[in-house]
């Protein structure tokens, strides 16, 4: 009984932290309609800032707390609202979700850059020098008592704010109809600002309270938010009392699992994955209309041509040949992951780009592909590669079955929970048997991966594997483009536009979702196998949720509907990091931060940069003389680099400058004349947005 009370006290204290963080999520979402994936990262940054002030610089604890909670946290909340979220408020739910994912990635990268993750930073609990309070046989530390008291005080203060103040009334009115609230004299913009400030402040309180109980680690503290996600989903992202109830369930469950879970090799990971499992079950258990929100995405999906798809495939293979001929062997090894990561990124295109289903577990599924290939293709058996693809496709189909009840942010939450379960539990399991079949993942260590046997040739060198990966990316890109032009691709676009209309017109919702999830997972599994071949040894940490977020962000930056997103993501992910690799160990964090900043610029190009790049370079592609000249210059530079006649950087600069100059020249040659009569607008030159207004004014004046 004494042990039970002790675990109950620990669970209540943890639940209090989850309640504080979860209420911040609910306040933000209920007022603004934005689910903040970076909520835990805001609490993590606040905990680091508090440590820096109170421990690093020796500030008094009250002063450090006041500065973090009353200055830094509100300032960060205002920054998020004004700079990041307001520009994308008019866009779809997916764009707002991507913005918070970019913020999460940026916060983790910033914290790891500023505070060395290899240095321990312990935080002392509040009033640690005082004796613990006694509640019968159970002992309650002052820090635990303060945590529970703060949670109760915040609950009372939020209730008073929302129900007894004008600001709270404005916040509740903005939830239902922002335009109508504005007509009644309320200020929805002020309510939104207040919601973001309160949300970030509550995240800061939760981060500071839980930091003494865990390691002050950027990734670990940010992922503690999974438990708060569960509490918020219990409250259906609207109810504060139900959010507190959900936090109580999660906190006590974690404490009791820590105390009473049997000790063996299979169950320790279950305790770590329990909040994610509970989140997944909560998402399925509450089929509330609010929980089945539809993702409205106004971004147009481009239709790739057969010629363009083949040109992309040829360019991919040609780029690989250029790399293996101009780079040294160690450099080829460093750039080898470019094309496998491109295949993984390509898996987002049919799922998120064509169907509008956001998945955050693609890299985790790729980990399954790498494991299957590592075990079945240990001696290079080529048949193991399609088997790895089929196994991961089956996993994707299993994910699709419960995902039928979810969409938008709830599907993203469900797939994120699946990734956490894989990382914290499934990938840590030792070998076991199911119906006489031995199942092995990473077997609590690493898996050695080798290249395949292709037509009697065992591909082992970095150059061979790089070209093989490029060929796989080229074929996968052509396949996805062919899918988009076909009947099934048109069905996916229809499903993306309106699930209800698709089902009403006779579409088979379950079959279509299952097929696209399986296809996307199969592509990711293929990429994971290729990724393992390049790395030669893989571990579970290389396929966790946080590691996959930058890949997702770069794919979004490129454009989820563009087939070239795979190649673009591989280049953007690998090239900057390798070019700056000699500058120091901080390069990885800086490149991740740059990716996050680029993702935060989504509002300026919601269709992705590839669509804009295609429009800018299209005149050069149609100008045969200039295009021939560019290809000639590129061929000469390639030959000189392969023969090591000239400096590679100089040749690269010459090629880039030549391409830019010829692009400008082609655009100038194609520029239409300015004296086109109005009746030829839209025929001899493209129709412009302002043309309708100009014609209306001219007609009015003439009349």
């Amino acid at each position: 009984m004494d042990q039970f009370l002790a675990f109950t006290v620990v669970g209540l204290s943890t639940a209090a932290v989850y309640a504080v963080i979860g209420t911040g999520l609910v306040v933000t979402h209920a007022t603004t309609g934005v689910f903040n994936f970076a909520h835990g990262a805001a609490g993590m940054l606040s905990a680091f800032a508090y440590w820096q002030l109170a421990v690093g610089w020796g500030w008094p604890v009250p002063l450090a707390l006041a500065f973090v909670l009353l200055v830094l946290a509100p300032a960060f909340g205002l920054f998020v609202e004004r700079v990041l979220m307001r520009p994308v408020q008019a866009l779809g739910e997916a764009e707002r979700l991507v913005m918070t994912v970019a913020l999460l990635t940026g916060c983790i990268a910033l914290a790891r850059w500023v505070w060395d993750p290899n240095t321990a930073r312990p935080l002392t609990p509040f009033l640690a020098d005082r004796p613990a309070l006694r509640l019968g046989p159970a002992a309650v530390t002052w820090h635990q008592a303060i945590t529970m008291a703060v949670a109760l005080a915040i609950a009372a203060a939020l209730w008073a704010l929302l129900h007894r103040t004008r600001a709270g009334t404005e916040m509740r009115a903005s939830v239902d109809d922002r335009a109508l609230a504005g007509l009644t004299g309320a200020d929805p913009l002020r309510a939104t600002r207040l919601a973001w400030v309160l949300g970030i402040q509550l995240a800061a309180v939760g981060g500071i309270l839980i930091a003494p109980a865990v390691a002050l680690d950027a990734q670990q503290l940010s992922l503690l938010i999974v438990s708060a996600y569960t509490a918020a989903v219990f409250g259906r992202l609207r109810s504060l009392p139900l959010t507190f109830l959900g936090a109580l369930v999660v906190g006590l469950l974690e404490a009791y699992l820590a105390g009473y879970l049997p000790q063996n090799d299979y169950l320790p990971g279950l305790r770590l994955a329990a909040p994610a499992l509970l989140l997944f079950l909560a998402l399925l258990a509450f089929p509330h209309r609010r929980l089945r929100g539809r993702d409205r995405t106004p971004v147009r999906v481009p239709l790739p041509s057969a010629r363009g798809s083949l040109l992309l495939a040829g360019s991919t293979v040609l780029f690989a040949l250029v790399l293996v001929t101009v780079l040294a062997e160690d450099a080829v090894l460093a750039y080898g992951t470019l094309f496998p990561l491109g295949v993984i990124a390509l898996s987002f295109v049919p799922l998120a780009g064509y169907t509008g289903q956001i998945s955050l577990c693609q890299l985790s599924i790729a980990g399954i592909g790498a494991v299957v290939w590592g075990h079945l293709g240990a001696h290079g058996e080529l048949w193991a590669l399609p088997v790895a693809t089929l196994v991961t496709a089956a996993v994707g189909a299993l994910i699709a079955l419960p995902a039928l009840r979810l969409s938008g942010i709830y599907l993203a939450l469900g797939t994120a929970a699946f990734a956490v379960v894989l990382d914290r539990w499934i990938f840590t399991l030792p070998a076991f048997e199911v119906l006489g079949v031995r199942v092995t993942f990473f077997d609590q260590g690493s898996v050695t991966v080798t290249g395949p046997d292709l037509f009697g040739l065992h591909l082992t060198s970095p150059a061979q594997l790089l070209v093989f990966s490029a060929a796989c990316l080229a074929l996968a890109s052509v396949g996805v483009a062919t899918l988009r032009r076909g009947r099934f691709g048109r069905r996916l676009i229809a499903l993306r536009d309106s699930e209800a209309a698709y089902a009403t017109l006779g579409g088979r919702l379950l079959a279509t979702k299952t097929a696209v999830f399986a296809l996307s997972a199969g592509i990711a599994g293929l990429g994971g196998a290729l990724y393992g071949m390049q790395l030669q040894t893989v571990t579970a940490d290389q396929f966790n949720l946080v590691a996959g977020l930058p890949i997702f962000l770069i794919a979004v930056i490129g454009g989820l509907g563009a087939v070239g997103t795979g190649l673009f993501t591989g280049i953007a992910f690998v090239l900057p990091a390798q070019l700056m690799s000699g500058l120091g160990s901080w390069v990885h964090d800086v490149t991740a931060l740059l990716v996050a900043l680029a993702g935060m610029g989504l509002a300026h190009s919601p269709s992705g940069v590839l669509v804009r790049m295609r429009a800018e370079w299209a005149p050069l592609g149609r100008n045969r003389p200039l295009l021939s000249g560019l290809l000639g210059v590129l061929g000469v530079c390639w030959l000189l680099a392969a023969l090591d006649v000239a400096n590679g950087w100089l040749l690269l600069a010459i090629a880039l400058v030549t391409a830019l100059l010829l692009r400008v020249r082609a655009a100038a040659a194609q520029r239409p004349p300015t004296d086109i009569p109005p009746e030829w607008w839209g025929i001899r030159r493209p129709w412009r947005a302002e043309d309708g207004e100009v014609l209306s004014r001219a007609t009015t004046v003439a009349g």
Side-chain angles (χ1 to χ4, degrees), residues 213-432:
V214 297
L216 201 58
D217 177 77
Q219 180 172 320
Q220 182 179 355
L221 276 175
S222 298
L223 290 184
L224 282 173
I225 195 64
V226 172
S227 301
Y229 288 164
T230 309
V233 169
F234 262 84
R236 304 184 185 182
L237 300 181
R238 294 182 64 89
S239 171
L240 294 180
L242 288 179
T243 300
F244 269 79
L245 176 61
L248 192 64
V249 171
V250 176
L252 291 176
L253 176 65
E254 288 185 359
Y256 294 148
L257 286 177
Y260 298 108
L261 197 66
Q263 298 298 317
N264 57 45
D265 293 335
Y266 298 93
L267 295 181
L270 175 61
R271 181 180 64 83
L272 299 176
L277 280 172
L278 193 59
L279 170 61
F280 196 78
L281 294 176
L283 287 168
L284 299 179
F286 297 123
H288 190 274
R289 187 170 182 267
R290 181 82 174 183
L291 271 178
R292 297 174 61 123
R294 177 175 162 270
D295 186 9
R296 300 181 59 191
T297 308
V299 179
R300 179 178 175 271
V301 179
L303 181 64
S305 64
R307 178 185 175 186
S309 304
L310 294 176
L311 180 62
L312 172 65
S315 301
T316 301
V317 177
L318 183 62
F319 180 48
L321 294 176
V322 170
L323 290 178
V324 299
T325 53
V326 303
L327 296 177
E329 184 174 355
D330 57 340
V332 172
L333 181 62
Y335 286 92
T337 58
L338 188 154
F339 298 103
L341 290 175
V343 176
I344 297 173
L346 184 65
S347 69
F348 288 109
V349 174
L351 185 61
Y354 296 168
T355 320
Q357 307 295 314
I358 301 175
S359 172
L360 298 180
C361 65
Q362 295 303 102
L363 186 63
S364 300
I365 294 176
I368 298 177
V371 167
V372 173
W373 167 256
H375 291 301
L376 298 183
H379 302 289
E381 296 87 345
L382 188 59
W383 58 264
L385 193 58
V387 169
T389 304
L390 291 175
V391 169
T392 51
V395 173
L398 290 176
I399 298 174
L401 295 178
L404 183 65
R405 302 168 62 89
L406 308 173
S407 62
I409 60 172
Y410 305 101
L411 178 60
L413 279 172
T415 53
F418 181 76
V420 173
V421 171
L422 286 178
D423 174 45
R424 295 184 176 180
W425 184 27
I426 303 299
F427 285 164
T428 65
L429 292 175
F432 58 93

Side-chain angles (χ1 to χ4, degrees), residues 636-648 651:
V636 171
C637 291
W638 179 14
L639 180 61
L640 294 177
L643 297 176
D644 202 16
V645 175
N647 181 269
L651 295 174

Side-chain angles (χ1 to χ4, degrees), residues 53 191 273 309 353 422 554 577 583 587 666:
L53 295 175
S309 304
L422 286 178
I554 298 177
L583 300 180
V587 168

Side-chain angles (χ1 to χ4, degrees), residues 16 60 75 110 113 136 200 286 389-390 392 398 450 469 534 537 580 598 701:
L110 179 63
W113 183 27
I200 298 299
F286 297 123
T389 304
L390 291 175
T392 51
L398 290 176
T450 186
S469 299
Q534 291 289 343
T537 302
M580 297 188 298
V701 172

